[in-house]
Amino acid sequence: MNKTFDTIAGCVFLVVGAFFAVGSLGISRSSYGSTVGPNVFPFGLGTILMVLALIVLYQARRYTDRAKEKRAPDFRRFGLLLLATIVYMFIFESLGYVISTFVYLVFVFQVMERKKLFGSVAIAAFFSFFVYYVYVGVFQGTLPPFPDWPGF
């Protein structure tokens, strides 16, 4: 565990989560044909990201350096995750929720741990379809499931 890197990452993700939550307040609260407005999902994600960032910050502050092991911060991995998130934001509408989220999650899981490709694919597929079903089927929200261009 790198206390400095975790603190910096926690602060960055806290700011990103706040950006999502505050930005979602500017989105209309209702959508035609939907009981859940388009502001709910980004606000929920922003809130979850802020809570997780606070947990990371708490754990980083609580951690004591017992081993005094000096490891360089893994800026490459952090940069890849940040870049993947930015690319995900841009491909979301063109590929739809299911495909873009699946690709994003598989990439993120592989950046975090490369050894378990099958598990990454299975979890990403389950999560993508499950969240889509819950949001659209249960909460009656609207998300683009698949891209329009291949004729789905």
Side-chain angles (χ1 to χ4, degrees), residues 10-79:
C11 289
V12 167
F13 285 116
L14 184 63
V15 169
V16 171
F19 174 75
F20 270 87
V22 171
S24 71
L25 297 176
I27 301 173
S28 67
R29 295 189 183 270
S30 64
S31 179
Y32 179 74
S34 176
T35 58
V36 176
N39 64 333
V40 172
F41 197 63
F43 183 79
L45 286 177
T47 303
I48 290 169
L49 188 57
M50 287 189 299
V51 168
L52 292 174
L54 289 172
I55 292 170
V56 167
L57 287 170
Y58 175 74
Q59 292 291 335
R61 293 288 109 201
R62 216 178 105 212
Y63 179 74
T64 58
D65 294 327
R66 292 184 191 146
K68 297 284 183 185
E69 181 180 313
K70 291 288 182 183
R71 289 189 339 178
D74 197 354
F75 289 115
R76 181 178 175 269
R77 184 181 291 180
F78 179 74

Side-chain angles (χ1 to χ4, degrees), residues 15-136:
V15 169
V16 171
F19 174 75
F20 270 87
V22 171
S24 71
L25 297 176
I27 301 173
S28 67
R29 295 189 183 270
S30 64
S31 179
Y32 179 74
S34 176
T35 58
V36 176
N39 64 333
V40 172
F41 197 63
F43 183 79
L45 286 177
T47 303
I48 290 169
L49 188 57
M50 287 189 299
V51 168
L52 292 174
L54 289 172
I55 292 170
V56 167
L57 287 170
Y58 175 74
Q59 292 291 335
R61 293 288 109 201
R62 216 178 105 212
Y63 179 74
T64 58
D65 294 327
R66 292 184 191 146
K68 297 284 183 185
E69 181 180 313
K70 291 288 182 183
R71 289 189 339 178
D74 197 354
F75 289 115
R76 181 178 175 269
R77 184 181 291 180
F78 179 74
L80 284 172
L81 295 176
L82 185 62
L83 180 64
T85 303
I86 292 168
V87 169
Y88 175 68
M89 292 181 342
F90 285 107
I91 68 170
F92 184 81
E93 284 192 42
S94 62
L95 289 181
Y97 173 81
V98 175
I99 294 173
S100 61
T101 302
F102 172 76
V103 170
Y104 172 73
L105 288 176
V106 168
F107 181 78
V108 167
F109 292 158
Q110 287 304 297
V111 167
M112 298 307 290
E113 188 171 347
R114 292 183 179 248
K115 298 176 185 173
K116 301 179 179 181
L117 180 61
F118 180 75
S120 297
V121 169
I123 292 170
F126 174 77
F127 182 83
S128 298
F129 282 106
F130 179 74
V131 169
Y132 179 80
Y133 170 75
V134 168
Y135 187 75
V136 173

